[in-house]
Amino acid sequence: MMRSSHFPHQTISAACIFAAVLSACSASDTLQPFTTDGCSLFPDRAPIGRADWCHCCIVHDLAYWRGGTSEARLDADEQLKACVHKASGSNALAGIMFAGVRVGGGPHLPTPYRWGYGWPFGRPYKPLTSVEETTAATLEREYRAKNPLLSIPE
């Protein structure tokens, strides 16, 4: 008899836990607002001279934040390389940064700068749905309206 009296309580507890987990999972599939730290784990500009490639990193961060396919990631990384070369005049620097993002920027690493970092960790390479594209475009527009120079927020 005692077992049957505990059964409803255990069932209700399990149902509440299941509902909480489900609601947390559904909320976590949402693209978070864009954030950037500039050139993650790398200088934003030359320590001597006037070369500044931080804007290249922020544009690159916008692509990484949004995520998408592996082809889109390669395109973002190639654009970073070209932008850094143009800003610095250095093939070596551009190549080092390109190699760094290729090695350390995949979606499978639990880093704050991974491909698709605006999404919860675990999102693989995949195209954004039309709804996700609309959300990403809206959030990017909001960020650019507040930060039109694409500089690191103070």
Side-chain angles (χ1 to χ4, degrees):
M1 291 277 171
M2 273 182 102
R3 285 186 180 204
S4 63
S5 67
H6 290 302
F7 180 75
H9 176 67
Q10 291 171 340
T11 303
I12 292 169
S13 296
C16 289
I17 291 169
F18 182 72
V21 168
L22 264 182
S23 67
C25 290
S26 64
S28 70
D29 283 346
T30 304
L31 181 63
Q32 299 302 305
F34 176 70
T35 59
T36 183
D37 64 357
C39 301
S40 306
L41 303 178
F42 202 86
D44 294 331
R45 61 196 54 82
I48 300 171
R50 303 183 79 185
D52 186 331
W53 48 84
C54 186
H55 66 283
C56 303
C57 297
I58 295 172
V59 170
H60 186 252
D61 282 356
L62 279 163
Y64 264 58
W65 161 79
R66 178 184 291 251
T69 64
S70 60
E71 295 82 9
R73 178 177 169 229
L74 177 59
D75 184 52
D77 293 346
E78 289 174 341
Q79 287 180 31
L80 173 69
K81 182 179 178 182
C83 184
V84 169
H85 178 260
K86 183 176 179 182
S88 69
S90 172
N91 279 326
L93 177 66
I96 289 168
M97 290 182 75
F98 178 79
V101 296
R102 293 308 299 164
V103 169
H108 309 295
L109 300 172
T111 61
Y113 49 81
R114 73 184 183 283
W115 180 250
Y117 73 81
W119 301 97
F121 176 69
R123 183 182 173 98
Y125 291 115
K126 70 177 188 176
L128 274 64
T129 66
S130 59
V131 171
E132 291 170 339
E133 283 286 353
T134 300
T135 300
T138 300
L139 290 171
E140 182 175 341
R141 225 178 2 262
E142 289 171 1
Y143 177 81
R144 287 178 179 266
K146 293 176 185 171
N147 195 345
L149 298 178
L150 293 183
S151 58
I152 300 174
E154 300 285 327

